[in-house]
Amino acid sequence: QVQLVESGGGLVQAGGSLRLSCGASGRTFSSYSMGWFRQAPGKEREFVAAISPYGRTRNYADSVKGRFTLSRDNAKKTMYLEMNSVKPEDTSVYYCNAVIAADTPRALGSWGQGTQVTVSS
């Protein structure tokens, strides 16, 4: 089983950039498709982006397409979310999780603490 820890969140101005990291422990990170999700106060958790085990397939929510870039380094057991041109509506707690597949981003494991991203206008 993969244990995950999110990091890299913070306060950023609208139009700025931020990079989130999802660090994994365990041997099987490279076996899983991985995804990012986010949850804003009072809203349901929503899908952001997902990537296949070796990065060949990436899937993005329409709301972040063209602004966010997902990547992974299996040797470091880490997934990254590069967030550019951020908007106030990107303000959320961001979570990572293993998913069924990049194009079927249903989370497989339990949720961690997440990392807070706050975008000021």
Side-chain angles (χ1 to χ4, degrees):
Q1 188 172 356
V2 177
Q3 303 293 325
L4 303 169
V5 177
E6 303 92 344
S7 62
L11 176 64
V12 60
Q13 287 190 329
S17 298
L18 206 60
R19 188 175 80 158
L20 305 184
S21 298
C22 172
S25 61
R27 299 182 182 180
T28 59
F29 178 75
S30 62
S31 299
Y32 290 97
S33 292
M34 298 293 298
W36 284 97
F37 300 78
R38 66 187 182 186
Q39 187 169 22
K43 294 188 176 182
E44 296 286 322
R45 185 177 283 133
E46 65 176 5
F47 165 72
V48 175
I51 188 169
S52 58
Y54 290 93
R56 291 184 178 179
T57 301
R58 293 173 173 83
N59 182 23
Y60 297 93
D62 288 343
S63 59
V64 307
K65 202 171 292 183
R67 300 188 297 120
F68 291 8
T69 302
L70 185 55
S71 63
R72 64 190 295 166
D73 184 334
N74 287 341
K76 295 182 178 179
K77 297 181 183 178
T78 303
M79 176 177 64
Y80 304 99
L81 184 68
E82 189 75 36
M83 305 170 63
N84 296 313
S85 302
V86 295
K87 303 175 181 180
E89 51 263 43
D90 294 322
T91 295
S92 287
V93 179
Y94 284 70
Y95 302 88
C96 63
N97 210 325
V99 296
I100 294 174
D103 57 0
T104 310
R106 181 176 296 177
L108 290 172
S110 56
W111 298 101
Q113 296 293 316
T115 186
Q116 174 72 49
V117 172
T118 303
V119 182
S120 62
S121 57

PDB file of all heavy atoms in Angstrom, residues 89-118:
ATOM      1  N   GLU A  89     -10.391  31.177  -7.713  1.00  0.00           N
ATOM      2  CA  GLU A  89     -11.215  29.969  -7.635  1.00  0.00           C
ATOM      3  C   GLU A  89     -10.401  28.689  -7.533  1.00  0.00           C
ATOM      4  O   GLU A  89     -10.960  27.612  -7.351  1.00  0.00           O
ATOM      5  CB  GLU A  89     -12.180  29.892  -8.832  1.00  0.00           C
ATOM      6  CG  GLU A  89     -11.532  30.060 -10.180  1.00  0.00           C
ATOM      7  CD  GLU A  89     -11.632  31.483 -10.705  1.00  0.00           C
ATOM      8  OE1 GLU A  89     -11.409  32.437  -9.906  1.00  0.00           O
ATOM      9  OE2 GLU A  89     -11.915  31.646 -11.909  1.00  0.00           O
ATOM     10  N   ASP A  90      -9.082  28.790  -7.641  1.00  0.00           N
ATOM     11  CA  ASP A  90      -8.228  27.620  -7.400  1.00  0.00           C
ATOM     12  C   ASP A  90      -7.971  27.409  -5.908  1.00  0.00           C
ATOM     13  O   ASP A  90      -7.370  26.403  -5.517  1.00  0.00           O
ATOM     14  CB  ASP A  90      -6.874  27.779  -8.112  1.00  0.00           C
ATOM     15  CG  ASP A  90      -6.996  27.774  -9.621  1.00  0.00           C
ATOM     16  OD1 ASP A  90      -7.825  27.003 -10.147  1.00  0.00           O
ATOM     17  OD2 ASP A  90      -6.273  28.557 -10.266  1.00  0.00           O
ATOM     18  N   THR A  91      -8.409  28.341  -5.092  1.00  0.00           N
ATOM     19  CA  THR A  91      -8.234  28.214  -3.649  1.00  0.00           C
ATOM     20  C   THR A  91      -8.951  26.979  -3.132  1.00  0.00           C
ATOM     21  O   THR A  91     -10.159  26.822  -3.311  1.00  0.00           O
ATOM     22  CB  THR A  91      -8.773  29.464  -2.933  1.00  0.00           C
ATOM     23  OG1 THR A  91      -7.980  30.595  -3.319  1.00  0.00           O
ATOM     24  CG2 THR A  91      -8.728  29.291  -1.423  1.00  0.00           C
ATOM     25  N   SER A  92      -8.200  26.074  -2.533  1.00  0.00           N
ATOM     26  CA  SER A  92      -8.733  24.802  -2.053  1.00  0.00           C
ATOM     27  C   SER A  92      -7.672  24.089  -1.233  1.00  0.00           C
ATOM     28  O   SER A  92      -6.492  24.469  -1.270  1.00  0.00           O
ATOM     29  CB  SER A  92      -9.105  23.871  -3.220  1.00  0.00           C
ATOM     30  OG  SER A  92     -10.261  24.266  -3.892  1.00  0.00           O
ATOM     31  N   VAL A  93      -8.077  23.034  -0.594  1.00  0.00           N
ATOM     32  CA  VAL A  93      -7.121  22.055  -0.084  1.00  0.00           C
ATOM     33  C   VAL A  93      -6.913  21.024  -1.187  1.00  0.00           C
ATOM     34  O   VAL A  93      -7.882  20.493  -1.737  1.00  0.00           O
ATOM     35  CB  VAL A  93      -7.620  21.373   1.195  1.00  0.00           C
ATOM     36  CG1 VAL A  93      -6.601  20.341   1.667  1.00  0.00           C
ATOM     37  CG2 VAL A  93      -7.888  22.398   2.282  1.00  0.00           C
ATOM     38  N   TYR A  94      -5.658  20.773  -1.515  1.00  0.00           N
ATOM     39  CA  TYR A  94      -5.323  19.856  -2.597  1.00  0.00           C
ATOM     40  C   TYR A  94      -4.843  18.527  -2.012  1.00  0.00           C
ATOM     41  O   TYR A  94      -4.005  18.496  -1.107  1.00  0.00           O
ATOM     42  CB  TYR A  94      -4.248  20.459  -3.491  1.00  0.00           C
ATOM     43  CG  TYR A  94      -4.788  21.524  -4.417  1.00  0.00           C
ATOM     44  CD1 TYR A  94      -5.198  22.755  -3.923  1.00  0.00           C
ATOM     45  CD2 TYR A  94      -4.933  21.292  -5.784  1.00  0.00           C
ATOM     46  CE1 TYR A  94      -5.731  23.730  -4.751  1.00  0.00           C
ATOM     47  CE2 TYR A  94      -5.454  22.258  -6.636  1.00  0.00           C
ATOM     48  CZ  TYR A  94      -5.849  23.470  -6.107  1.00  0.00           C
ATOM     49  OH  TYR A  94      -6.371  24.435  -6.944  1.00  0.00           O
ATOM     50  N   TYR A  95      -5.376  17.458  -2.577  1.00  0.00           N
ATOM     51  CA  TYR A  95      -5.068  16.111  -2.131  1.00  0.00           C
ATOM     52  C   TYR A  95      -4.561  15.275  -3.296  1.00  0.00           C
ATOM     53  O   TYR A  95      -5.011  15.444  -4.424  1.00  0.00           O
ATOM     54  CB  TYR A  95      -6.321  15.421  -1.591  1.00  0.00           C
ATOM     55  CG  TYR A  95      -7.020  16.108  -0.461  1.00  0.00           C
ATOM     56  CD1 TYR A  95      -8.001  17.071  -0.702  1.00  0.00           C
ATOM     57  CD2 TYR A  95      -6.727  15.790   0.861  1.00  0.00           C
ATOM     58  CE1 TYR A  95      -8.661  17.700   0.335  1.00  0.00           C
ATOM     59  CE2 TYR A  95      -7.394  16.408   1.913  1.00  0.00           C
ATOM     60  CZ  TYR A  95      -8.350  17.363   1.634  1.00  0.00           C
ATOM     61  OH  TYR A  95      -9.006  17.976   2.673  1.00  0.00           O
ATOM     62  N   CYS A  96      -3.669  14.351  -3.008  1.00  0.00           N
ATOM     63  CA  CYS A  96      -3.281  13.375  -4.024  1.00  0.00           C
ATOM     64  C   CYS A  96      -3.758  11.988  -3.592  1.00  0.00           C
ATOM     65  O   CYS A  96      -4.006  11.740  -2.409  1.00  0.00           O
ATOM     66  CB  CYS A  96      -1.781  13.381  -4.268  1.00  0.00           C
ATOM     67  SG  CYS A  96      -0.742  12.924  -2.863  1.00  0.00           S
ATOM     68  N   ASN A  97      -3.887  11.138  -4.563  1.00  0.00           N
ATOM     69  CA  ASN A  97      -4.337   9.776  -4.283  1.00  0.00           C
ATOM     70  C   ASN A  97      -4.028   8.911  -5.495  1.00  0.00           C
ATOM     71  O   ASN A  97      -3.900   9.415  -6.618  1.00  0.00           O
ATOM     72  CB  ASN A  97      -5.841   9.757  -3.999  1.00  0.00           C
ATOM     73  CG  ASN A  97      -6.250   8.654  -3.045  1.00  0.00           C
ATOM     74  OD1 ASN A  97      -5.673   7.566  -3.058  1.00  0.00           O
ATOM     75  ND2 ASN A  97      -7.233   8.934  -2.201  1.00  0.00           N
ATOM     76  N   ALA A  98      -3.915   7.641  -5.267  1.00  0.00           N
ATOM     77  CA  ALA A  98      -3.870   6.696  -6.372  1.00  0.00           C
ATOM     78  C   ALA A  98      -5.262   6.647  -6.993  1.00  0.00           C
ATOM     79  O   ALA A  98      -6.276   6.816  -6.304  1.00  0.00           O
ATOM     80  CB  ALA A  98      -3.453   5.320  -5.886  1.00  0.00           C
ATOM     81  N   VAL A  99      -5.322   6.436  -8.310  1.00  0.00           N
ATOM     82  CA  VAL A  99      -6.600   6.370  -9.000  1.00  0.00           C
ATOM     83  C   VAL A  99      -6.647   5.113  -9.863  1.00  0.00           C
ATOM     84  O   VAL A  99      -5.619   4.502 -10.150  1.00  0.00           O
ATOM     85  CB  VAL A  99      -6.843   7.619  -9.872  1.00  0.00           C
ATOM     86  CG1 VAL A  99      -6.944   8.861  -9.004  1.00  0.00           C
ATOM     87  CG2 VAL A  99      -5.751   7.777 -10.923  1.00  0.00           C
ATOM     88  N   ILE A 100      -7.853   4.742 -10.286  1.00  0.00           N
ATOM     89  CA  ILE A 100      -8.028   3.540 -11.096  1.00  0.00           C
ATOM     90  C   ILE A 100      -7.226   3.666 -12.386  1.00  0.00           C
ATOM     91  O   ILE A 100      -6.516   2.737 -12.801  1.00  0.00           O
ATOM     92  CB  ILE A 100      -9.513   3.316 -11.398  1.00  0.00           C
ATOM     93  CG1 ILE A 100     -10.270   3.006 -10.109  1.00  0.00           C
ATOM     94  CG2 ILE A 100      -9.693   2.211 -12.422  1.00  0.00           C
ATOM     95  CD1 ILE A 100     -11.776   2.911 -10.287  1.00  0.00           C
ATOM     96  N   ALA A 101      -7.333   4.794 -13.050  1.00  0.00           N
ATOM     97  CA  ALA A 101      -6.601   5.056 -14.282  1.00  0.00           C
ATOM     98  C   ALA A 101      -6.629   6.558 -14.532  1.00  0.00           C
ATOM     99  O   ALA A 101      -7.456   7.268 -13.963  1.00  0.00           O
ATOM    100  CB  ALA A 101      -7.225   4.297 -15.462  1.00  0.00           C
ATOM    101  N   ALA A 102      -5.725   7.019 -15.384  1.00  0.00           N
ATOM    102  CA  ALA A 102      -5.685   8.457 -15.654  1.00  0.00           C
ATOM    103  C   ALA A 102      -6.996   8.954 -16.248  1.00  0.00           C
ATOM    104  O   ALA A 102      -7.429  10.069 -15.971  1.00  0.00           O
ATOM    105  CB  ALA A 102      -4.529   8.770 -16.601  1.00  0.00           C
ATOM    106  N   ASP A 103      -7.639   8.122 -17.048  1.00  0.00           N
ATOM    107  CA  ASP A 103      -8.912   8.530 -17.642  1.00  0.00           C
ATOM    108  C   ASP A 103     -10.115   8.017 -16.853  1.00  0.00           C
ATOM    109  O   ASP A 103     -11.257   8.199 -17.284  1.00  0.00           O
ATOM    110  CB  ASP A 103      -8.998   8.062 -19.089  1.00  0.00           C
ATOM    111  CG  ASP A 103      -8.834   6.558 -19.239  1.00  0.00           C
ATOM    112  OD1 ASP A 103      -8.659   5.869 -18.213  1.00  0.00           O
ATOM    113  OD2 ASP A 103      -8.862   6.076 -20.381  1.00  0.00           O
ATOM    114  N   THR A 104      -9.858   7.406 -15.722  1.00  0.00           N
ATOM    115  CA  THR A 104     -10.918   6.982 -14.786  1.00  0.00           C
ATOM    116  C   THR A 104     -10.456   7.385 -13.394  1.00  0.00           C
ATOM    117  O   THR A 104     -10.028   6.553 -12.593  1.00  0.00           O
ATOM    118  CB  THR A 104     -11.149   5.461 -14.860  1.00  0.00           C
ATOM    119  OG1 THR A 104     -11.318   5.071 -16.223  1.00  0.00           O
ATOM    120  CG2 THR A 104     -12.387   5.071 -14.056  1.00  0.00           C
ATOM    121  N   PRO A 105     -10.495   8.686 -13.107  1.00  0.00           N
ATOM    122  CA  PRO A 105      -9.856   9.203 -11.893  1.00  0.00           C
ATOM    123  C   PRO A 105     -10.682   9.005 -10.633  1.00  0.00           C
ATOM    124  O   PRO A 105     -11.000   9.953  -9.921  1.00  0.00           O
ATOM    125  CB  PRO A 105      -9.650  10.685 -12.210  1.00  0.00           C
ATOM    126  CG  PRO A 105     -10.763  11.020 -13.132  1.00  0.00           C
ATOM    127  CD  PRO A 105     -10.997   9.802 -13.962  1.00  0.00           C
ATOM    128  N   ARG A 106     -11.003   7.775 -10.345  1.00  0.00           N
ATOM    129  CA  ARG A 106     -11.670   7.456  -9.089  1.00  0.00           C
ATOM    130  C   ARG A 106     -10.598   7.069  -8.080  1.00  0.00           C
ATOM    131  O   ARG A 106      -9.782   6.187  -8.340  1.00  0.00           O
ATOM    132  CB  ARG A 106     -12.649   6.305  -9.282  1.00  0.00           C
ATOM    133  CG  ARG A 106     -13.394   5.941  -8.005  1.00  0.00           C
ATOM    134  CD  ARG A 106     -14.425   4.870  -8.276  1.00  0.00           C
ATOM    135  NE  ARG A 106     -15.467   5.337  -9.176  1.00  0.00           N
ATOM    136  CZ  ARG A 106     -16.453   4.564  -9.611  1.00  0.00           C
ATOM    137  NH1 ARG A 106     -16.510   3.298  -9.259  1.00  0.00           N
ATOM    138  NH2 ARG A 106     -17.359   5.060 -10.411  1.00  0.00           N
ATOM    139  N   ALA A 107     -10.614   7.732  -6.933  1.00  0.00           N
ATOM    140  CA  ALA A 107      -9.568   7.511  -5.936  1.00  0.00           C
ATOM    141  C   ALA A 107      -9.638   6.112  -5.355  1.00  0.00           C
ATOM    142  O   ALA A 107     -10.727   5.556  -5.149  1.00  0.00           O
ATOM    143  CB  ALA A 107      -9.696   8.548  -4.821  1.00  0.00           C
ATOM    144  N   LEU A 108      -8.469   5.554  -5.074  1.00  0.00           N
ATOM    145  CA  LEU A 108      -8.376   4.188  -4.572  1.00  0.00           C
ATOM    146  C   LEU A 108      -8.145   4.112  -3.062  1.00  0.00           C
ATOM    147  O   LEU A 108      -8.601   3.190  -2.416  1.00  0.00           O
ATOM    148  CB  LEU A 108      -7.237   3.445  -5.286  1.00  0.00           C
ATOM    149  CG  LEU A 108      -7.458   3.114  -6.753  1.00  0.00           C
ATOM    150  CD1 LEU A 108      -6.181   2.555  -7.358  1.00  0.00           C
ATOM    151  CD2 LEU A 108      -8.595   2.120  -6.903  1.00  0.00           C
ATOM    152  N   GLY A 109      -7.392   5.045  -2.531  1.00  0.00           N
ATOM    153  CA  GLY A 109      -6.986   4.932  -1.137  1.00  0.00           C
ATOM    154  C   GLY A 109      -7.675   5.937  -0.246  1.00  0.00           C
ATOM    155  O   GLY A 109      -8.589   6.659  -0.658  1.00  0.00           O
ATOM    156  N   SER A 110      -7.215   5.975   0.989  1.00  0.00           N
ATOM    157  CA  SER A 110      -7.754   6.946   1.934  1.00  0.00           C
ATOM    158  C   SER A 110      -7.117   8.308   1.665  1.00  0.00           C
ATOM    159  O   SER A 110      -6.093   8.410   0.987  1.00  0.00           O
ATOM    160  CB  SER A 110      -7.473   6.490   3.366  1.00  0.00           C
ATOM    161  OG  SER A 110      -6.088   6.293   3.546  1.00  0.00           O
ATOM    162  N   TRP A 111      -7.724   9.352   2.208  1.00  0.00           N
ATOM    163  CA  TRP A 111      -7.251  10.705   1.976  1.00  0.00           C
ATOM    164  C   TRP A 111      -6.280  11.140   3.067  1.00  0.00           C
ATOM    165  O   TRP A 111      -6.459  10.817   4.229  1.00  0.00           O
ATOM    166  CB  TRP A 111      -8.426  11.676   1.913  1.00  0.00           C
ATOM    167  CG  TRP A 111      -9.352  11.375   0.788  1.00  0.00           C
ATOM    168  CD1 TRP A 111     -10.553  10.735   0.854  1.00  0.00           C
ATOM    169  CD2 TRP A 111      -9.122  11.662  -0.600  1.00  0.00           C
ATOM    170  NE1 TRP A 111     -11.087  10.623  -0.400  1.00  0.00           N
ATOM    171  CE2 TRP A 111     -10.249  11.182  -1.320  1.00  0.00           C
ATOM    172  CE3 TRP A 111      -8.093  12.290  -1.313  1.00  0.00           C
ATOM    173  CZ2 TRP A 111     -10.365  11.305  -2.709  1.00  0.00           C
ATOM    174  CZ3 TRP A 111      -8.208  12.411  -2.681  1.00  0.00           C
ATOM    175  CH2 TRP A 111      -9.329  11.919  -3.363  1.00  0.00           C
ATOM    176  N   GLY A 112      -5.260  11.891   2.652  1.00  0.00           N
ATOM    177  CA  GLY A 112      -4.298  12.433   3.602  1.00  0.00           C
ATOM    178  C   GLY A 112      -4.743  13.791   4.109  1.00  0.00           C
ATOM    179  O   GLY A 112      -5.913  14.160   4.000  1.00  0.00           O
ATOM    180  N   GLN A 113      -3.772  14.542   4.636  1.00  0.00           N
ATOM    181  CA  GLN A 113      -4.067  15.866   5.200  1.00  0.00           C
ATOM    182  C   GLN A 113      -4.285  16.912   4.129  1.00  0.00           C
ATOM    183  O   GLN A 113      -4.974  17.913   4.343  1.00  0.00           O
ATOM    184  CB  GLN A 113      -2.921  16.301   6.114  1.00  0.00           C
ATOM    185  CG  GLN A 113      -2.739  15.419   7.332  1.00  0.00           C
ATOM    186  CD  GLN A 113      -3.900  15.526   8.284  1.00  0.00           C
ATOM    187  OE1 GLN A 113      -4.381  16.615   8.570  1.00  0.00           O
ATOM    188  NE2 GLN A 113      -4.380  14.380   8.754  1.00  0.00           N
ATOM    189  N   GLY A 114      -3.692  16.698   2.978  1.00  0.00           N
ATOM    190  CA  GLY A 114      -3.795  17.688   1.921  1.00  0.00           C
ATOM    191  C   GLY A 114      -2.866  18.869   2.160  1.00  0.00           C
ATOM    192  O   GLY A 114      -2.195  18.972   3.202  1.00  0.00           O
ATOM    193  N   THR A 115      -2.829  19.764   1.184  1.00  0.00           N
ATOM    194  CA  THR A 115      -2.037  20.984   1.311  1.00  0.00           C
ATOM    195  C   THR A 115      -2.892  22.164   0.858  1.00  0.00           C
ATOM    196  O   THR A 115      -3.539  22.093  -0.196  1.00  0.00           O
ATOM    197  CB  THR A 115      -0.715  20.878   0.531  1.00  0.00           C
ATOM    198  OG1 THR A 115       0.101  22.022   0.791  1.00  0.00           O
ATOM    199  CG2 THR A 115      -0.935  20.723  -0.973  1.00  0.00           C
ATOM    200  N   GLN A 116      -2.910  23.210   1.651  1.00  0.00           N
ATOM    201  CA  GLN A 116      -3.788  24.348   1.387  1.00  0.00           C
ATOM    202  C   GLN A 116      -3.166  25.284   0.361  1.00  0.00           C
ATOM    203  O   GLN A 116      -2.012  25.697   0.499  1.00  0.00           O
ATOM    204  CB  GLN A 116      -4.042  25.125   2.684  1.00  0.00           C
ATOM    205  CG  GLN A 116      -4.836  26.414   2.504  1.00  0.00           C
ATOM    206  CD  GLN A 116      -6.294  26.174   2.189  1.00  0.00           C
ATOM    207  OE1 GLN A 116      -6.957  25.390   2.860  1.00  0.00           O
ATOM    208  NE2 GLN A 116      -6.803  26.856   1.165  1.00  0.00           N
ATOM    209  N   VAL A 117      -3.949  25.614  -0.646  1.00  0.00           N
ATOM    210  CA  VAL A 117      -3.553  26.628  -1.628  1.00  0.00           C
ATOM    211  C   VAL A 117      -4.556  27.775  -1.527  1.00  0.00           C
ATOM    212  O   VAL A 117      -5.762  27.556  -1.626  1.00  0.00           O
ATOM    213  CB  VAL A 117      -3.544  26.056  -3.058  1.00  0.00           C
ATOM    214  CG1 VAL A 117      -3.322  27.165  -4.074  1.00  0.00           C
ATOM    215  CG2 VAL A 117      -2.481  24.985  -3.187  1.00  0.00           C
ATOM    216  N   THR A 118      -4.034  28.966  -1.316  1.00  0.00           N
ATOM    217  CA  THR A 118      -4.872  30.152  -1.235  1.00  0.00           C
ATOM    218  C   THR A 118      -4.394  31.170  -2.265  1.00  0.00           C
ATOM    219  O   THR A 118      -3.222  31.546  -2.265  1.00  0.00           O
ATOM    220  CB  THR A 118      -4.824  30.775   0.166  1.00  0.00           C
ATOM    221  OG1 THR A 118      -5.221  29.796   1.136  1.00  0.00           O
ATOM    222  CG2 THR A 118      -5.754  31.979   0.262  1.00  0.00           C
TER     223      THR A 118
END
